[in-house]
Each structure stands twice: as C-alpha cells, then as structure tokens.
Amino acid sequence: MIKVGLVSLGCAKNLVDSEIMAGHLLKSGMTLTADAQEADVLIVNTCSFIDAAKEESIEAIFEVNQSRGLRKRKTGQKLIVAGCMAQRFAGELQKSMPEVDAFIGLDQVTQVAPIIESLYVKDRAAGSVNLVSGRSVYIPDYDTPRFRLTPKHYAYVKIAEGCNHPCSFCVIPQMRGKHRSRTIDSVVREVKQLVSEGVKEINLISQDTTYFGMDRWEQKAGPRQQVDSTRGETLCDLIQAMDQIQGEFWIRILYTHPAHWSDELIQAIAKSKHVIPYIDMPLQHISENMLGLMRRETSREHIEKLIERMRAGIPGLVLRTTFIVGFPGETEEDFNTLLDFIKRVKFERLGVFEYSQEEGSRAAKMEGQLTPKVKKQRWKKAMALQQKLSFQMAESKIDSEILVVVEKEGLARSIADAPEVDAHIYVDPKLPVGTFQKVKIIASHEYDLMAEGSGVTPVESRELRNPQ
C-alpha cells in the first residue's frame, strides 16, 4: 500500500485542492501519513500568489528533498510538486529541480493517484515529468471525492473557480483561468452533506464569490456589464437555496469584490437565517489614482456609497478588508488618503500588504516602483493605525455577551472572526470543541478578547499570540 505525505501551502482555495487530492488518493486505496520519513510519495501543493508565497513553496520543496541535506530522504521516495507554482512555473522548475519526479497543475488534482502509479513504472533516469496542462478549466462538484483537512466543525466550500478581473497586480487569472461557477444544486448538495456530518460553519470561497452565476448568463449577454440580477442566477439565489437547509450552522461569505455588490445581495444577507453578517471585501486602495492604476473596476465614490448601504442594510455588519501599500506610483498623498479612509471607516477587520512585484503582471512593468524601505514604512504606519482602532473596538466588547464557536480547548471564534485570519477569544477550557456557546467578555487586548472562565489575562493573551 502506497503511503502519501501531503504538504498544503497558501490560501483556503488551495487547501480545497489538497483535500480533493487527498480524497482521490484514499479512494484509490492509498493512505495518508503525516510522517515524511515513512511516506512513499511526498506531494507539495504550492502557492505563488506573491513572492513570499513562492519562497515558502520553494523552501518546502527543498526541505523534503535529500539533495539539500535538511533530512535524509527515504530510499525510492517520490516527490511531486503541485498547485499554483507548478501551474505557473513548471517549465522553469523542471530545469532547476531535477530531483522532483513530477509537476502537476490545477487540473490534475483528480488524477493524482494514477500519476503516482505511473511514477513507479517510469524510468527515473529519464528525469522529471511535466504534466501541467494549459490554462485551468477544472471545477469540483458536490460528489467530488474529498478528505477534509480542517477541524470537524468548519469547512470551506469552493463555489467557483478562476477570475475575470483585470487587476494589474495579480496573475491569478493566468493560473486559474476564467471564472466558472458551480450550479446552485451542486453547492447546496455539498453544504447539506457537510451539515449532516456536523459542520457548524460553512465558508464560501472563490476568487470572487459575488460573481457567482454571472459567468453563465454573461456568456449570452456579451462583455461584462453593470450587475443586473434579473438576468440569471446570482449569489442571492444561492443564499436563498442554502437557507432551506435544516440545521444549526453559520455561512460565512469570503472574497467578495466591490464591483458586483447589489442592493438585492445586501437584502438577501440581511434576511438570511444562516449567512452571518461578516463580509470579506478586499478593497486594495481608496485613492482614485491607485484604483485606476490597479485596474480595480470601481471608483472611490462607488466604494464609499456601497459601504454606507451595507452598514445601513445589514444589522451588526462586520466588515473585513485588505489594502496594498507601496504600489507603483503611490504618492504620499495617495497613502495619506488611504490612512484617512481607514481612520474614518473603522473596519472591524483589516489586513495590509506590501506591494509585491509579480512577474507577468501589468504592474510589474510599471514605472514608479517604490523601494522596499518606503513600502515597509507605509505598511508599519497603516498597521499601527489599525492596531489602535482594533484595540478600541475590542475594548468596546467588554461586558457584552456574544455567540462563539469553540475552536479548540480554551479558544473560540465569534461571528466577527474567520478561521486562520482573525482574532481569538479565550474561553472556559471546559466548553466542548465544535459547539456554539454564549460567553461574556470580561477583558481585551489589541485584537483578542477574554471571556469569563478563560483564566487568561490580556498580557497572557499577547504572549500566547506572539510566542518567543
């Protein structure tokens, strides 16, 4: 029996790809192991969204490779590199990493078992094999074999794949292809199955969840037009269909784009019995100059009015966003405009990234590239501002009672906290993992909250979050 070790890097969308590979491996009769030393085959599912992700992927490949001397590789052990970095750079990597047995792309996730079997009959002296196809067209279905790698109480559901947006800093469309949505029936069947298995939180993901369904009716309508939800299926229809599923569970919507929000979607979320009022909407910038250079398809006025409508229309809204600082051509005025916007809007959750000059993107060729020093300074300034605002918002929760899902012993998340990326709530260690609980907040520190019975002080929470 072949034992396979799987290293999954990058975002939740990549994690779902890893889960699909794991499901197909188990279905074929192979087994999974967390011990790299005993694995017959090691798969590294890579990310290459930004330079840091590529570096992490390369380091992971080196770590499992005997030629780098970091560990003794098992005799005859096969090494497969999968995912976005393989999809994007397999030709180059094949030359620089001859120790890799095979490179597979995004459309080979369901073929991983026969690919492994073929490696055992292949003459290794012939070198590595590049099995990456052209631009990705694959999309999973409700019955796609899958072995979940998340805790039992939450799961990611990929409702679409690919992207049609022309953002100048991004190369995702080059790797993952054009946007293609699943059907409502397919998504509902998967969610229903997950809920029946005891999942308490469904996280909807894609490159742009708000574009769900529009790719199908836009094929008839021609080029992208302003959103008109009367012409075909949209995310609103999916929300209404999922609301018919019985059970106690949350639905969290991640990765929305400001260009495709509508008043109908705001109303659908406000009325939903399962969709929680947490919206992840990466804005990237607010300066009109930057939005144009980034090719974001929205204006500052559109974003400002949209946020007003969302906060007025969705009770208890928690708005999460991300911004890029140090983009080519960003002036001090542009950056200060962004800081003023952050200060005024007071996003409940916010992340800031330094611009990464991605090979193959439009922005990589732009004039006005900023120095690493300037980018770092702006990142620090923006994060310091958000930290101050987050402390104030966390402090305002003291003495309130909130609903949480217990993540693990002594640790929970609220509606306001998505897995892996947001704050922690320290709770009574006796509360059962994977259950919904009402807790009273008695203290806070920066991003985290302490609930009654947790026994954790604000100072201790800082030490737990940032261990030395």
Side-chain angles (χ1 to χ4, degrees), residues 425-428 439-443 449-456:
I425 300 174
Y426 295 91
V427 297
D428 187 336
V439 299
K440 182 177 181 180
I441 304 302
I442 59 173
L449 302 174
M450 290 89 243
E452 202 169 48
S454 68
V456 175

Side-chain angles (χ1 to χ4, degrees), residues 9-25:
L9 305 172
C11 67
K13 295 178 284 291
N14 221 37
L15 179 64
V16 171
D17 292 342
S18 293
E19 292 177 337
I20 291 172
M21 282 194 282
H24 282 79
L25 291 169

